[in-house]
């Protein structure tokens, strides 16, 4: 074995070991600041305008509860009355009207307003959870992409001396021309991958800035993540206590109160009117009077009856949607449990079997290549697979975190995102011509794309029944 071949083999070992040591490191951005997932999610919750709007809407509806329980404003009027045409005399008249609905109507209106405010508060909580899930997934997508760029760089540094060594072997007649060309082709694939990864990094940074309401080109900083080993799954959440289910339960209460108000509308409202007439200009005494009246629900067969039916149907809709949401949430809990168990199994598999065995295989191929018994393509292919497995292990650890997140922030949507591939990359079925790239099968299928990571895919709050009912006008005596 020549000195150049031995030096080449030592270079492979040293550079490959260095690559494994720095695989968890990320490149620092121009801002020079680290950004953890906890800090990023806190920034999103604090500054995202979508969440702010949902919370403001809930507060606005909360301010409507007290007015709903309050009497309508009285009606006051004054003006000349009984004016003689020849100007001989005049009279000033003052009157005030007040509608007095049944106390049960005011209470029902208050309960309806309170249920609407509570539903909006639960919708705001759902929006918060959706933002937390979107933000966490977007963060890990960007972090994963960042790690892939680092691995791409390490792999490129690993291949460069081998390509030069293969050229030297070709020039001395110890290897074929095709081996050198294939090695150069692999380097071109890595460069293409690097360009795509950097393009995705720019798009993912824009998504991170969108979620925290910043300019797309604002610096994000170096992303850092810490993964606790053997994380236990959080205790199952109560389905009935989830904000999506609570919001629909409140909507069912809104519909119930609408039906109650429609039934109470069969009973007339009492209207009281007081009048004072000033007749001093006519040398007569001032007079006063009181009138009592009621509104007449004579169109109840068209109005109140249909309002009752409509409200009952709205309540049925809300209850049916509540059952559907609860079924979906139970399925999401089960899926999170399965995903958590699967991801932990994958982590253990990689740590105990896949990566150690690949290391042994790589050492064996290195020795065979040094002895001239294995082609360079086998060494390069196996080295790339070994590095790619670090990404796959990272993807499985991210999946553990996301399964935990789903249990804490249970939602019917968005669906649980997965980063880890369905099967680990193995070297037995790979050849140099079919070697996977950093962004291909090597774990990038779950987290490399920026598509769908913004707020465009967020679902809005539960559907609101619009003006399900209305009370009769309380101004029936305003022009008396």
């Amino acid at each position: 074995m020549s000195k150049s071949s031995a030096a080449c083999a030592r270079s492979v070992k040293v550079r490959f070991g260095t690559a494994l040591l720095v695989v968890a490191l990320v490149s620092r951005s121009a801002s020079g600041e680290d950004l953890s997932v906890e800090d990023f999610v806190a920034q999103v919750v604090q500054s995202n305008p979508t969440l702010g709007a949902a919370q403001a809407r809930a507060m606005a509806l909360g301010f409507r509860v007290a007015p709903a329980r309050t009497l309508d404003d009285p009606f006051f009027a004054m003006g000349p009355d009984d004016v003689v045409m020849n100007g001989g005399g005049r009279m000033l008249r003052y009157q005030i009207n007040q509608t007095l609905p049944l106390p049960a109507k005011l209470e029902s209106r208050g309960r309806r307003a309170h249920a609407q405010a509570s539903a909006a508060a639960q919708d705001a909580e759902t929006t918060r959870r959706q933002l937390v899930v979107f933000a966490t997934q977007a963060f890990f997508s960007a972090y994963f992409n960042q790690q892939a760029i680092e691995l791409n760089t390490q792999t490129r540094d690993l291949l460069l001396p081998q390509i030069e060594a293969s050229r030297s072997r070709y020039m001395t007649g110890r290897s074929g021309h095709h081996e050198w060309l294939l090695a150069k082709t692999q380097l071109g694939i890595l460069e293409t991958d690097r360009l795509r990864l950097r393009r995705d990094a720019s798009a993912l940074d824009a998504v991170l800035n969108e979620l925290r309401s910043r300019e797309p080109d604002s610096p994000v900083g170096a992303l850092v993540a810490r993964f606790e080993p053997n994380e236990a799954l959080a205790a199952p959440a109560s389905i009935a206590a989830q904000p999506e289910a609570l919001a629909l339960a409140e909507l069912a209460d809104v519909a119930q109160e609408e039906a109650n108000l429609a039934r109470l509308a069969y009973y007339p409202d009492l209207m009281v009117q007081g009048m004072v007439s000033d007749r001093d200009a006519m040398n007569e005494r001032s007079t006063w009077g009181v009138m009592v009246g009621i509104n007449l629900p004579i169109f109840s067969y068209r109005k109140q009856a249909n309002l009752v039916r409509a409200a009952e149907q709205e309540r049925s809709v809300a209850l049916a949607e509540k059952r559907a949401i609860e079924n979906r949430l139970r399925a999401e809990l089960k899926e999170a449990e399965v995903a958590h168990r699967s991801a932990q199994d994958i982590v253990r598999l990689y740590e105990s079997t896949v990566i150690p065995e690949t290391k042994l295989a790589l050492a064996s191929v290195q020795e065979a290549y040094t002895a001239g018994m294995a082609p360079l393509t086998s060494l390069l292919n196996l080295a790339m697979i070994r590095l790619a497995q670090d990404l796959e292990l990272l993807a499985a650890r991210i999946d553990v975190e996301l399964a935990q997140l789903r249990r804490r922030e249970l939602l019917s949507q968005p669906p649980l995102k997965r980063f880890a591939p369905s099967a680990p990359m193995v070297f037995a079925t790979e050849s140099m011509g079919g070697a996977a790239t950093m962004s291909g099968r090597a774990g990038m299928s779950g987290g490399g794309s920026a598509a769908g990571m913004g707020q465009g895919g967020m679902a809005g709050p539960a559907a609101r029944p619009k003006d399900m009912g209305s009370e009769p006008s309380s101004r029936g005596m305003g022009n008396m």
Side-chain angles (χ1 to χ4, degrees):
M1 181 177 63
S2 66
K3 293 183 179 180
S4 62
S5 298
C8 175
R10 287 194 298 271
S11 175
V12 170
K13 294 180 181 178
V14 171
R15 288 180 178 273
F16 186 74
T18 303
L20 297 181
L21 288 175
V22 302
V23 68
L25 300 178
V26 295
S27 302
R28 300 186 65 84
S29 69
S31 65
E33 297 179 356
D34 291 345
L35 181 64
S36 68
V37 63
E38 295 82 7
D39 291 340
F40 174 69
V41 170
Q43 291 175 7
V44 170
V45 171
Q46 181 179 7
S47 60
N48 188 272
T50 301
L51 178 58
Q55 292 171 338
R57 180 179 183 275
M59 292 180 62
L61 288 174
F63 288 125
R64 295 181 182 275
V65 176
R69 293 194 174 105
T70 305
L71 290 172
D72 290 338
D73 293 335
F75 174 81
F76 173 78
M78 63 174 292
D81 195 14
D82 291 342
V83 179
V84 180
M85 296 297 293
N86 60 11
R90 65 178 178 83
M91 176 182 68
L92 286 177
R93 184 170 181 171
Y94 307 88
Q95 75 177 57
I96 186 169
N97 300 348
Q98 178 65 60
T99 301
L100 301 174
L102 292 175
K105 291 184 179 181
L106 293 178
E107 287 301 316
S108 185
R109 282 161 50 182
R111 289 193 297 268
R112 178 185 62 182
H114 183 271
Q116 288 173 331
S118 298
Q122 297 302 329
D123 286 339
E125 171 60 17
T126 298
T127 301
R128 186 199 66 80
R129 290 190 177 193
Q130 287 180 330
L131 277 172
V132 168
V133 170
F134 269 108
T136 304
Q137 292 182 164
F139 179 92
F140 279 126
S141 291
Y143 176 74
F144 194 84
N145 187 81
Q146 190 170 269
Q147 296 284 7
I149 293 174
E150 182 70 18
L151 277 175
N152 182 283
T153 301
Q154 298 298 327
T155 306
R156 182 177 180 275
D157 292 343
L158 176 67
L159 294 184
L160 284 175
Q162 309 314 314
I163 293 175
E164 184 60 29
S166 68
R167 180 178 180 275
S168 298
R169 284 192 171 193
Y170 164 67
M171 298 298 293
T172 59
R174 289 181 291 121
S175 67
H177 186 238
H178 70 282
E179 187 174 272
W180 177 39
L181 294 179
L182 285 175
K184 290 180 64 177
T185 299
Q186 186 62 64
L187 189 64
I189 292 174
L190 281 173
E191 181 63 21
T192 302
D193 241 12
R194 185 183 68 85
L195 294 175
R196 192 194 67 80
L197 287 168
R198 291 195 178 279
R199 182 192 66 215
D200 284 352
S202 178
L204 286 165
D205 284 351
V207 171
L208 299 185
N209 285 322
E210 175 199 358
L211 288 169
R212 55 185 181 165
S213 192
R214 296 188 183 182
E215 292 297 321
D217 295 330
S218 298
V220 173
L223 305 182
V224 295
R226 294 173 293 275
F227 302 99
E228 297 295 333
N230 301 320
E231 283 193 63
L233 193 61
S238 170
I239 297 297
Q242 300 308 312
E244 290 175 281
L246 290 174
L248 289 167
E250 296 292 350
L251 288 183
D253 289 344
V254 171
Q256 181 63 56
E257 294 305 327
E258 292 286 357
N260 292 340
L261 285 170
R263 293 187 183 95
L264 289 170
Y266 283 103
Y267 301 95
D269 294 333
L270 180 66
M271 284 163 273
V272 179
Q273 182 182 60
M275 298 166 289
V276 174
S277 298
D278 182 5
R279 298 176 180 269
D280 287 346
M282 301 176 62
N283 297 320
E284 296 182 14
R285 295 180 179 179
S286 298
T287 60
W288 63 273
V290 175
M291 296 186 67
V292 177
I294 59 173
N295 64 311
L296 301 176
I298 60 176
F299 302 110
S300 59
Y301 69 97
R302 290 176 56 88
K303 185 184 295 185
Q304 284 84 352
N306 285 323
L307 288 176
V308 170
R309 297 188 188 99
E312 289 174 345
Q313 290 301 314
E314 293 285 356
R315 185 171 186 273
S316 298
V317 169
L319 292 176
E321 290 180 346
K322 179 175 178 289
R323 289 193 297 271
I325 283 292
E326 289 175 345
N327 292 338
R328 179 66 257 165
L329 292 176
R330 291 188 184 95
E332 285 292 329
L333 273 179
K334 183 64 177 179
E335 185 176 354
E337 179 182 346
V338 172
H340 183 269
R341 185 167 58 248
S342 174
Q344 284 196 320
D345 290 343
I346 292 174
V347 170
R348 285 191 290 267
L349 176 65
Y350 273 80
E351 292 178 339
S352 64
T353 304
V354 175
I355 291 180
E357 291 183 356
T358 304
K359 285 181 179 179
L360 292 176
L362 180 59
S364 176
V365 172
Q366 284 176 329
E367 292 179 0
Y369 173 72
T370 303
M373 300 175 61
L376 175 63
T377 53
S378 296
L379 175 61
L380 298 180
N381 186 42
L382 190 54
M384 286 194 65
I385 290 174
R386 170 64 191 92
L387 291 172
Q389 286 174 352
D390 284 333
L391 271 184
E392 295 177 346
L393 175 59
L394 173 61
R397 286 172 174 163
I398 291 175
D399 284 347
V400 172
E401 293 287 329
L402 294 182
Q404 284 278 23
L405 176 67
R406 174 59 92 200
R407 300 280 284 198
R408 292 194 304 270
E409 310 286 355
L410 185 59
L411 288 168
S412 63
Q413 54 184 333
L416 185 61
K417 185 177 178 65
R418 294 186 182 181
F419 282 70
S422 58
M425 174 171 286
V426 295
F427 56 88
T429 59
E430 301 287 352
S431 64
M432 185 61 194
T437 63
M438 289 290 112
S439 62
R441 198 180 145 207
M444 281 304 299
S445 58
S449 175
M453 291 306 303
Q455 297 182 68
M458 287 183 57
R464 286 278 171 276
K466 298 180 180 179
D467 298 331
M468 289 185 294
S470 58
E471 295 82 41
S473 172
S474 60
R475 304 288 186 188
M477 294 182 67
N479 57 359
M480 288 182 59

